[in-house]
Amino acid sequence: WQTQEAEELERLLWAVSAPQEEGLVRGALATTVLGRTATELYRLSQDEEAWEETISRFSHYNQLWQEKGPAVMLRTLMKNEGVKGRLLSLPDGERRLTNLVHLMELLHEEWSQVRGGMMGLLRWMGEQRRRKGAGAEETLLRLESDEEAVKVLTVHKSKGLEFPIVFCPFAWDVSESNKKNLILFHPRKDETICLDLGSDDIEQHETIYQREVLGEEARLLYVAVTRAKSCCYLVFCPEKCSGLSGLTHIFSWLYSSKDTVPGFQEFKGMIEEALKGPEVEVGLPFHKEGIETPPPPSRLPGELGCRHFSSEIPRDWRITSFSALASHRESAPELPDYDALLGEEEPLEAGDEAVREKKSFLDFPRGPRAGVFIHKVLEELDFTLNSMDAMGALVAEKLKAFGFGPEWTGPVCQMLQKLLSLSLDPAHPELTLSRIPMESRLNELEFLFPLKKINPQELMSVLELKGQDAIQTENLTFSPVRGFMKGFIDLVFTWKGRFYLVDWKSNYLGPSPEDYNPAAIRRVMASESYVLQYHIYSLALHQYLRQRIPDYDYCTHFGGIYYVFLRGIHWGPEQGIFRDRPREELMEELVRLLLDRAGVGNA
């Protein structure tokens, strides 16, 4: 887990988990595993067709991961991308490839147990890489060719082992465990450990502590120099020595200053006599007096030189998103909204008899994986189809792909039937999703618009036009930001010349109808900052339509927004749906506040 291959594999998996995130994909391509150079990445960025093909490949790997797991996906990726040949061409390619294959095996073993799908596996991998001393025996893999390699061991690990030749280059340094500022000592002979945090006897206890540390260091030094069968190289560097080093404690009396070595011949003779043989060689350390640093060569006219960076990097410029603003983080990649802000997955207990008896979509497992599942179903489902067989086949396929049991096919299909027949707007009973054909829909509409510098106070002042309960002030605590606003709109559809925005929410708000009534939904819209979200999305759609419809008029063409809380809709049209159509003056105020018109051509 501490190898370069583990770091690069983690970057690669993040890119596969979110192939629409161009930065993550470029980061994966730049790894040694995929081997793209800076020049190749630049050329790729200039070739739109080649870049789309690259994104398409990563999307295919994403689908493979979901359907067949990380091992199958990575084997396919390694074959398609020529990873094996690229790694084996490197001097340490055998080791790199072995590390990569071993990591794949560990990931595959964890995949069958991990909760939370892709994100759960990536979190687990990150935890393994961050663990200090993560070196359990099952994560260590050695090659036959390692027998001929130099082995680097700690002194503790070397106990009981022997080697033909041993180098002890850092015996003069003190071990990390002895660099702490705690005074741990044994006041009695019963091996009781005491910690002095500032007693009256702290000086006496510190003396005991120093003596015990030096004793342990001397014992470790003995272990280090007795591992060799034929030859041991022991380096003593007085200028870098710590007072708690065993080597310093034993040999520093020979040095009266940094520049002279009095008694060296006596020392050499003492060592040779102690070890009973002329094969011991004692050499002087390198003297600083012999070092002469040549002056830097003068620059000749016309000679190339590096340019010095003197500008300031703007810390507030970045690509931000609703997720970043609402989660109080400077950067949070805006992925298709799958309720990622709702926390960890919470599957229902298998032994819950009440749940087994109800088995409605209300009881469906909760969390990001469930959100991804239902979004994928709604993205691919043809709303105008009346065939239950086709709907059931699609639902069953997605349930299997996302690891849910087939017993959920019925409850999910019942929810979808209710959703498609439900009137989205009581003022227009005929407005149902079953009347919206595929050609009148845009699924997961991605947007990116240039963003002026904004702060929470300015944004709040505009949103307060919606009323005091529009959004909770404490949820907006982000640092001032400018650059670009990025996001994905779940669904945009057109009906009778008007465009509507829909956001699917799989949030579990509670088990009763009261948990999904209009008042409860308004509270959730405020507490989860969804009010901010739909205003950002409405602004993005407003600009999208303004650039594509020659005679665009907000009042004529913008129909409104619907936030559909899918677990609550089976109780009726007033349950589980939030409706709004931001006022035109508010939308123009958001344009003034958020949209950087100087960069609108780049949107």
Side-chain angles (χ1 to χ4, degrees):
W1 295 114
Q2 307 303 314
T3 63
Q4 179 182 341
E5 289 71 51
E7 178 186 353
E8 293 192 346
L9 182 58
E10 186 177 19
R11 288 165 59 186
L12 179 58
L13 291 178
W14 273 108
V16 172
S17 72
Q20 69 278 3
E21 282 294 313
E22 297 182 1
L24 295 179
V25 174
R26 280 194 293 268
L29 292 173
T31 60
T32 308
V33 173
L34 297 185
R36 301 297 192 276
T37 64
T39 302
E40 289 171 336
L41 287 174
Y42 174 75
R43 289 174 180 168
L44 189 61
S45 69
Q46 304 302 304
D47 188 338
E48 185 174 345
E49 185 176 343
W51 180 250
E52 288 297 329
E53 195 274 331
T54 301
I55 296 298
S56 176
R57 290 204 313 277
F58 274 77
S59 298
H60 172 64
Y61 300 144
N62 177 283
Q63 190 71 18
L64 269 181
W65 186 353
Q66 294 184 44
E67 295 177 353
K68 299 184 178 180
V72 174
M73 179 275 290
L74 286 169
R75 282 198 297 270
T76 305
L77 181 148
M78 290 176 66
K79 180 180 178 181
N80 294 349
E81 306 293 335
V83 173
K84 182 177 180 180
R86 183 178 301 108
L87 291 182
L88 289 178
S89 67
L90 301 173
D92 57 346
E94 186 183 6
R95 159 56 61 198
R96 287 174 179 261
L97 186 60
T98 303
N99 286 345
L100 193 59
V101 172
H102 191 199
L103 287 164
M104 288 167 52
E105 293 173 358
L106 295 173
L107 289 169
H108 181 69
E109 291 174 7
E110 182 64 19
W111 176 253
S112 61
Q113 307 172 27
V114 74
R115 294 172 55 186
M118 291 183 180
M119 293 301 106
L121 187 66
L122 285 167
R123 281 194 297 270
W124 176 81
M125 185 177 187
E127 290 169 1
Q128 306 309 306
R129 293 195 57 244
R130 287 190 295 272
R131 275 172 42 198
K132 296 298 182 184
E137 193 61 33
E138 65 271 13
T139 68
L140 300 178
L141 197 65
R142 297 181 176 87
L143 306 175
E144 290 184 6
S145 57
D146 284 350
E147 294 301 318
E148 300 178 0
V150 172
K151 293 180 176 61
V152 179
L153 297 176
T154 64
V155 177
H156 288 89
K157 285 281 187 180
S158 71
K159 288 182 179 180
L161 303 178
E162 281 189 330
F163 303 94
I165 301 175
V166 172
F167 293 85
C168 300
F170 304 115
W172 42 264
D173 196 10
V174 66
S175 64
E176 286 292 331
S177 60
N178 291 329
K179 290 183 179 178
K180 54 193 176 186
N181 295 321
L182 299 176
I183 300 179
L184 289 167
F185 63 100
H186 299 77
R188 297 182 297 274
K189 294 183 179 181
D190 60 359
E191 298 187 358
T192 301
I193 300 178
C194 289
L195 170 63
D196 193 325
L197 298 174
S199 72
D200 295 338
D201 299 324
I202 190 169
E203 292 184 3
Q204 177 185 353
H205 295 160
E206 187 168 7
T207 302
I208 300 173
Y209 161 74
Q210 296 275 5
R211 184 171 64 248
E212 292 180 347
V213 168
L214 288 173
E216 177 61 20
E217 289 293 320
R219 286 189 288 274
L220 286 174
L221 178 63
Y222 172 80
V223 171
V225 300
T226 55
R227 298 307 94 201
K229 294 180 181 179
S230 304
C231 183
C232 176
Y233 291 87
L234 180 64
V235 180
F236 178 46
C237 185
E239 293 183 358
K240 293 184 178 293
C241 281
S242 162
L244 295 180
S245 163
L247 201 59
T248 305
H249 178 60
I250 294 173
F251 294 145
S252 61
W253 59 273
L254 295 167
Y255 289 76
S256 61
S257 71
K258 294 181 180 180
D259 303 321
T260 61
V261 190
F264 179 77
Q265 292 302 324
E266 291 83 353
F267 170 56
K268 180 175 182 294
M270 179 187 68
I271 295 294
E272 290 175 348
E273 181 180 353
L275 296 179
K276 306 295 184 185
E279 66 274 9
V280 178
E281 294 185 7
V282 182
L284 288 172
F286 192 76
H287 283 284
K288 285 188 174 180
E289 291 81 4
I291 301 177
E292 291 186 5
T293 305
S298 58
R299 267 188 79 186
L300 300 175
E303 187 178 354
L304 294 178
C306 64
R307 295 171 62 186
H308 296 282
F309 183 79
S310 57
S311 302
E312 290 187 5
I313 299 176
R315 300 298 179 184
D316 60 349
W317 197 104
R318 56 184 175 270
I319 297 178
T320 191
S321 64
F322 160 72
S323 301
L325 301 184
S327 61
H328 312 163
R329 291 182 292 175
E330 290 192 356
S331 61
E334 179 72 8
L335 308 178
D337 174 26
Y338 300 146
D339 307 330
L341 296 179
L342 298 179
E344 300 296 325
E345 185 172 350
E346 299 177 14
L348 298 174
E349 295 296 330
D352 190 334
E353 296 298 327
V355 168
R356 280 218 305 268
E357 291 174 3
K358 290 189 292 183
K359 275 296 182 188
S360 71
F361 186 72
L362 180 67
D363 310 311
F364 193 71
R366 315 161 202 171
R369 184 161 60 105
V372 176
F373 158 75
I374 197 62
H375 277 73
K376 290 297 184 184
V377 170
L378 289 167
E379 184 178 342
E380 297 183 21
L381 180 64
D382 187 343
F383 298 161
T384 61
L385 279 181
N386 294 320
S387 171
M388 280 299 296
D389 291 340
M391 179 186 291
L394 175 63
V395 170
E397 175 193 338
K398 295 302 178 185
L399 284 170
K400 182 178 179 181
F402 285 89
F404 296 110
E407 68 273 12
W408 290 108
T409 304
V412 174
C413 287
Q414 291 170 12
M415 180 276 292
L416 292 174
Q417 285 183 301
K418 183 71 176 178
L419 172 66
L420 299 182
S421 62
L422 187 69
S423 175
L424 294 177
D425 191 341
H428 301 281
E430 70 279 16
L431 177 52
T432 63
L433 291 174
S434 61
R435 295 174 179 264
I436 310 301
M438 292 291 282
E439 58 268 23
S440 297
R441 295 163 48 184
L442 286 173
N443 297 294
E444 300 297 346
L445 177 62
E446 181 179 4
F447 63 84
L448 184 76
F449 62 78
L451 181 68
K452 283 183 178 179
K453 187 170 183 176
I454 60 169
N455 59 56
Q457 293 73 29
E458 290 177 324
L459 197 53
M460 275 298 301
S461 66
V462 173
L463 292 178
E464 281 174 356
L465 295 174
K466 291 294 299 173
Q468 295 299 320
D469 65 341
I471 192 168
Q472 292 182 358
T473 307
E474 61 268 21
N475 287 2
L476 287 180
T477 58
F478 60 88
S479 302
V481 58
R482 61 189 175 95
F484 281 89
M485 178 68 72
K486 184 175 184 178
F488 295 82
I489 301 174
D490 287 350
L491 174 65
V492 172
F493 71 86
T494 179
W495 182 73
K496 292 187 176 181
R498 285 192 166 190
F499 292 82
Y500 297 84
L501 183 158
V502 179
D503 199 278
W504 313 116
K505 295 298 181 188
S506 61
N507 310 38
Y508 178 84
L509 307 182
S512 64
E514 291 75 19
D515 297 313
Y516 299 88
N517 65 27
I521 293 298
R522 282 196 300 272
R523 287 194 296 271
V524 172
M525 294 293 293
S527 64
E528 297 294 333
S529 301
Y530 292 151
V531 172
L532 170 62
Q533 184 185 38
Y534 83 72
H535 279 91
I536 292 174
Y537 288 6
S538 297
L539 173 60
L541 181 57
H542 177 55
Q543 288 302 116
Y544 179 87
L545 298 176
R546 175 179 281 174
Q547 293 185 17
R548 285 162 177 77
I549 301 178
D551 58 345
Y552 173 74
D553 176 73
Y554 179 81
C555 295
T556 302
H557 295 100
F558 196 99
I561 67 102
Y562 300 105
Y563 269 53
V564 183
F565 290 78
L566 298 166
R567 296 180 192 265
I569 59 173
H570 70 278
W571 279 304
E574 292 303 315
Q575 305 294 105
I577 297 184
F578 177 86
R579 307 172 178 89
D580 192 23
R581 183 170 177 270
R583 296 193 303 272
E584 183 178 13
E585 58 269 26
L586 174 59
M587 193 57 59
E588 290 305 317
E589 187 67 15
L590 287 172
V591 169
R592 181 197 64 78
L593 175 67
L594 301 179
L595 193 66
D596 184 356
R597 292 190 177 276
V600 74
N602 299 321

